[in-house]
Amino acid sequence: LPFEGQGINLYAIAMLAGAESPADMGVALRAEVVLGLSEISLSFANRKNRPTRLGADLSAGIGPVEFRVEGAARRGGSSRIWRGPLDVASLTFPEASDRSDEWLFQGVSSIEWGIAYGDQESLFVTAEYFYNHDGYSDPGLYPWLFTQGDWLPLYVGQHYIGGNVALPRPGNWNDSTFVLSGLGNLSDRSYLLRFDYQVQILTQLNLVVFATHLFGS
Protein backbone atom coordinates (compact mmCIF):
# COMPACT_ATOMS: atom_id res chain seq x y z
CA LEU A 1 0.00 0.00 0.00
CA PRO A 2 1.91 3.09 -1.20
CA PHE A 3 1.52 6.65 0.08
CA GLU A 4 3.64 8.36 -2.55
CA GLY A 5 3.13 11.91 -1.30
CA GLN A 6 4.47 10.98 2.14
CA GLY A 7 7.16 8.61 0.90
CA ILE A 8 5.67 5.62 2.75
CA ASN A 9 5.19 1.98 1.69
CA LEU A 10 3.26 -0.51 3.85
CA TYR A 11 3.31 -4.27 3.35
CA ALA A 12 1.25 -7.14 4.80
CA ILE A 13 2.08 -10.73 3.88
CA ALA A 14 0.20 -13.89 4.83
CA MET A 15 2.45 -16.95 5.23
CA LEU A 16 0.33 -19.91 4.12
CA ALA A 17 2.91 -22.55 3.19
CA GLY A 18 2.28 -25.75 5.17
CA ALA A 19 -0.70 -24.31 7.04
CA GLU A 20 -3.42 -26.91 7.69
CA SER A 21 -5.72 -24.52 9.56
CA PRO A 22 -6.06 -20.73 10.09
CA ALA A 23 -4.17 -21.10 13.37
CA ASP A 24 -1.12 -22.31 11.44
CA MET A 25 -0.97 -19.21 9.26
CA GLY A 26 1.69 -16.56 9.82
CA VAL A 27 1.83 -12.87 9.16
CA ALA A 28 4.61 -10.47 8.23
CA LEU A 29 4.34 -6.66 8.32
CA ARG A 30 6.74 -4.06 7.00
CA ALA A 31 6.82 -0.26 6.78
CA GLU A 32 9.25 1.85 4.75
CA VAL A 33 9.56 5.60 5.21
CA VAL A 34 11.68 7.99 3.14
CA LEU A 35 12.91 11.11 4.93
CA GLY A 36 14.98 13.30 2.65
CA LEU A 37 18.08 11.29 1.76
CA SER A 38 17.36 8.71 4.44
CA GLU A 39 15.16 5.62 4.53
CA ILE A 40 13.84 3.81 7.61
CA SER A 41 12.11 0.44 7.65
CA LEU A 42 10.46 -1.62 10.39
CA SER A 43 9.55 -5.31 10.07
CA PHE A 44 7.59 -7.86 12.09
CA ALA A 45 6.92 -11.57 11.51
CA ASN A 46 5.11 -14.14 13.64
CA ARG A 47 3.82 -17.67 13.15
CA LYS A 48 2.73 -20.51 15.40
CA ASN A 49 5.64 -22.57 16.73
CA ARG A 50 8.11 -20.19 15.06
CA PRO A 51 10.17 -17.38 16.58
CA THR A 52 8.72 -13.89 16.71
CA ARG A 53 10.99 -11.67 14.62
CA LEU A 54 11.54 -7.92 14.66
CA GLY A 55 13.73 -5.91 12.34
CA ALA A 56 14.71 -2.31 11.69
CA ASP A 57 17.17 -0.58 9.41
CA LEU A 58 18.27 2.92 8.59
CA SER A 59 20.22 4.12 5.58
CA ALA A 60 21.33 7.69 5.03
CA GLY A 61 23.43 9.34 2.36
CA ILE A 62 25.73 12.22 3.21
CA GLY A 63 27.57 13.41 0.15
CA PRO A 64 29.34 10.45 -1.47
CA VAL A 65 29.07 8.36 1.72
CA GLU A 66 26.23 5.97 2.55
CA PHE A 67 25.65 4.98 6.20
CA ARG A 68 23.60 1.91 7.14
CA VAL A 69 22.48 0.45 10.47
CA GLU A 70 20.41 -2.74 10.67
CA GLY A 71 19.14 -4.75 13.61
CA ALA A 72 17.10 -7.93 14.06
CA ALA A 73 15.73 -9.62 17.17
CA ARG A 74 13.93 -12.90 17.65
CA ARG A 75 12.27 -14.72 20.55
CA GLY A 76 10.82 -18.20 20.81
CA GLY A 77 11.20 -21.33 18.75
CA SER A 78 14.03 -23.75 19.33
CA SER A 79 17.19 -22.05 20.56
CA ARG A 80 20.01 -23.27 22.77
CA ILE A 81 23.52 -22.28 23.74
CA TRP A 82 26.30 -24.47 25.10
CA ARG A 83 28.00 -23.35 28.30
CA GLY A 84 30.91 -24.75 30.26
CA PRO A 85 34.35 -26.13 29.39
CA LEU A 86 35.19 -28.92 26.96
CA ASP A 87 37.84 -31.32 28.27
CA VAL A 88 37.76 -34.76 26.68
CA ALA A 89 40.52 -36.09 28.95
CA SER A 90 38.45 -35.54 32.09
CA LEU A 91 35.13 -36.28 30.33
CA THR A 92 33.93 -32.74 30.97
CA PHE A 93 31.47 -31.52 28.37
CA PRO A 94 29.44 -28.32 27.92
CA GLU A 95 25.80 -28.27 28.92
CA ALA A 96 22.93 -26.98 26.79
CA SER A 97 20.97 -23.97 28.04
CA ASP A 98 17.53 -23.16 26.60
CA ARG A 99 17.17 -19.59 25.32
CA SER A 100 13.73 -19.80 23.72
CA ASP A 101 12.40 -17.23 26.23
CA GLU A 102 15.21 -14.74 25.56
CA TRP A 103 15.38 -11.99 22.95
CA LEU A 104 18.38 -12.70 20.72
CA PHE A 105 19.88 -9.82 18.74
CA GLN A 106 21.94 -9.37 15.60
CA GLY A 107 23.10 -6.01 14.33
CA VAL A 108 25.31 -4.59 11.60
CA SER A 109 26.59 -1.11 10.86
CA SER A 110 28.34 -0.17 7.66
CA ILE A 111 29.69 2.71 5.65
CA GLU A 112 30.12 2.82 1.87
CA TRP A 113 32.08 5.46 0.01
CA GLY A 114 31.73 5.86 -3.72
CA ILE A 115 34.80 7.52 -5.22
CA ALA A 116 34.37 8.82 -8.77
CA TYR A 117 37.60 8.79 -10.79
CA GLY A 118 36.19 9.29 -14.30
CA ASP A 119 33.14 10.38 -16.20
CA GLN A 120 31.44 7.02 -15.70
CA GLU A 121 33.80 5.16 -13.38
CA SER A 122 33.62 4.86 -9.59
CA LEU A 123 35.45 2.90 -6.92
CA PHE A 124 33.36 1.66 -3.97
CA VAL A 125 34.88 1.11 -0.51
CA THR A 126 32.80 -0.53 2.23
CA ALA A 127 33.49 -1.28 5.90
CA GLU A 128 31.18 -3.20 8.26
CA TYR A 129 30.85 -4.39 11.84
CA PHE A 130 28.52 -7.28 12.77
CA TYR A 131 27.38 -8.35 16.26
CA ASN A 132 25.92 -11.84 16.63
CA HIS A 133 24.18 -12.68 19.93
CA ASP A 134 24.07 -16.34 18.87
CA GLY A 135 27.82 -16.58 18.55
CA TYR A 136 30.52 -17.88 20.89
CA SER A 137 33.53 -16.09 22.30
CA ASP A 138 35.40 -19.31 23.24
CA PRO A 139 36.86 -21.12 20.21
CA GLY A 140 37.56 -24.09 22.48
CA LEU A 141 33.89 -25.03 22.07
CA TYR A 142 34.09 -25.29 18.27
CA PRO A 143 34.69 -29.09 18.13
CA TRP A 144 31.71 -29.65 20.41
CA LEU A 145 29.45 -27.41 18.33
CA PHE A 146 30.43 -29.37 15.23
CA THR A 147 29.54 -32.74 16.77
CA GLN A 148 26.19 -31.40 18.06
CA GLY A 149 25.08 -29.98 14.72
CA ASP A 150 25.27 -26.38 15.99
CA TRP A 151 28.22 -25.30 13.85
CA LEU A 152 27.19 -22.36 11.64
CA PRO A 153 30.05 -21.25 9.37
CA LEU A 154 30.56 -17.46 9.36
CA TYR A 155 28.08 -17.12 12.26
CA VAL A 156 29.95 -19.00 14.98
CA GLY A 157 31.60 -15.90 16.49
CA GLN A 158 30.09 -12.91 18.30
CA HIS A 159 32.02 -10.04 16.71
CA TYR A 160 32.95 -9.63 13.06
CA ILE A 161 34.44 -6.93 10.87
CA GLY A 162 34.32 -6.85 7.10
CA GLY A 163 35.36 -4.69 4.21
CA ASN A 164 35.57 -4.69 0.46
CA VAL A 165 36.76 -2.66 -2.48
CA ALA A 166 34.71 -2.98 -5.66
CA LEU A 167 35.82 -1.74 -9.05
CA PRO A 168 33.04 -2.21 -11.64
CA ARG A 169 33.71 -1.65 -15.35
CA PRO A 170 37.00 0.25 -15.04
CA GLY A 171 38.22 2.16 -18.08
CA ASN A 172 37.78 0.18 -21.27
CA TRP A 173 36.99 -3.00 -19.29
CA ASN A 174 33.25 -2.47 -19.69
CA ASP A 175 32.38 -6.14 -19.13
CA SER A 176 34.56 -6.71 -16.07
CA THR A 177 34.23 -6.19 -12.32
CA PHE A 178 36.96 -6.61 -9.67
CA VAL A 179 36.21 -7.08 -5.95
CA LEU A 180 38.63 -7.49 -3.04
CA SER A 181 36.86 -8.41 0.22
CA GLY A 182 37.81 -9.46 3.71
CA LEU A 183 36.00 -10.88 6.75
CA GLY A 184 37.40 -11.14 10.25
CA ASN A 185 36.06 -13.10 13.23
CA LEU A 186 37.27 -10.98 16.14
CA SER A 187 36.14 -13.59 18.66
CA ASP A 188 38.79 -16.10 17.57
CA ARG A 189 41.06 -13.88 15.41
CA SER A 190 40.54 -15.82 12.18
CA TYR A 191 40.32 -14.02 8.84
CA LEU A 192 39.23 -14.64 5.27
CA LEU A 193 40.52 -12.68 2.27
CA ARG A 194 38.91 -13.10 -1.15
CA PHE A 195 39.48 -11.69 -4.64
CA ASP A 196 36.76 -11.94 -7.31
CA TYR A 197 36.92 -11.29 -11.03
CA GLN A 198 33.68 -11.29 -13.02
CA VAL A 199 33.37 -10.88 -16.78
CA GLN A 200 30.20 -10.81 -18.87
CA ILE A 201 30.71 -13.17 -21.80
CA LEU A 202 27.19 -13.09 -23.26
CA THR A 203 24.01 -11.20 -22.41
CA GLN A 204 22.88 -13.95 -20.01
CA LEU A 205 26.27 -15.49 -19.20
CA ASN A 206 28.85 -14.30 -16.68
CA LEU A 207 32.11 -15.98 -15.74
CA VAL A 208 33.32 -15.55 -12.14
CA VAL A 209 36.79 -16.52 -10.95
CA PHE A 210 37.84 -16.10 -7.33
CA ALA A 211 40.69 -16.91 -4.97
CA THR A 212 40.59 -17.02 -1.16
CA HIS A 213 43.19 -17.01 1.58
CA LEU A 214 42.60 -18.00 5.21
CA PHE A 215 44.91 -16.69 7.94
CA GLY A 216 45.00 -15.88 11.63
CA SER A 217 44.21 -18.27 14.47
Side-chain angles (χ1 to χ4, degrees):
L1 183 63
F3 296 88
E4 295 183 5
Q6 293 76 29
I8 298 174
N9 289 324
L10 302 179
Y11 303 82
I13 301 172
M15 296 182 285
L16 307 178
E20 299 179 355
S21 69
D24 297 329
M25 295 169 51
V27 62
L29 305 174
R30 180 175 173 87
E32 299 171 345
V33 182
V34 176
L35 300 172
L37 298 177
S38 302
E39 180 176 336
I40 301 172
S41 73
L42 301 173
S43 304
F44 166 84
N46 189 41
R47 189 170 186 176
K48 183 180 179 181
N49 298 325
R50 302 283 182 88
T52 299
R53 301 177 183 272
L54 304 174
D57 60 78
L58 166 67
S59 62
I62 302 177
V65 179
E66 179 84 7
F67 296 91
R68 302 186 188 97
V69 179
E70 304 177 23
R74 77 174 194 274
R75 182 177 184 270
S78 177
S79 179
R80 66 180 180 181
I81 188 172
W82 294 96
R83 293 189 170 98
L86 172 62
D87 188 349
V88 179
S90 62
L91 298 180
T92 302
F93 302 102
E95 296 183 356
S97 178
D98 182 30
R99 297 199 296 181
S100 58
D101 291 332
E102 300 180 31
W103 282 102
L104 304 177
F105 175 77
Q106 291 178 323
V108 61
S109 60
S110 68
I111 180 174
E112 181 181 272
W113 184 17
I115 306 172
Y117 63 91
D119 292 337
Q120 298 180 345
E121 291 89 9
S122 293
L123 173 74
F124 297 93
V125 181
T126 305
E128 287 190 340
Y129 165 75
F130 173 54
Y131 171 73
N132 179 32
H133 196 168
D134 279 333
Y136 291 83
S137 58
D138 180 10
L141 293 176
Y142 288 0
W144 181 255
L145 299 177
F146 190 80
T147 61
Q148 300 302 308
D150 288 342
W151 175 266
L152 294 176
L154 305 182
Y155 287 89
V156 71
Q158 284 189 336
H159 303 277
Y160 288 85
I161 57 171
N164 71 68
V165 178
L167 188 62
R169 301 179 296 276
N172 294 325
W173 295 55
N174 294 324
D175 297 325
S176 298
T177 296
F178 301 87
V179 180
L180 179 65
S181 57
L183 179 68
N185 181 345
L186 300 181
S187 299
D188 64 12
R189 303 299 175 89
S190 61
Y191 304 93
L192 168 67
L193 186 66
R194 172 167 168 157
F195 173 75
D196 287 75
Y197 170 65
Q198 176 178 310
V199 58
Q200 183 175 1
I201 300 176
L202 299 172
T203 302
Q204 300 295 333
L205 179 63
N206 291 329
L207 173 67
V208 180
V209 179
F210 69 89
T212 62
H213 175 58
L214 300 170
F215 60 100
S217 301

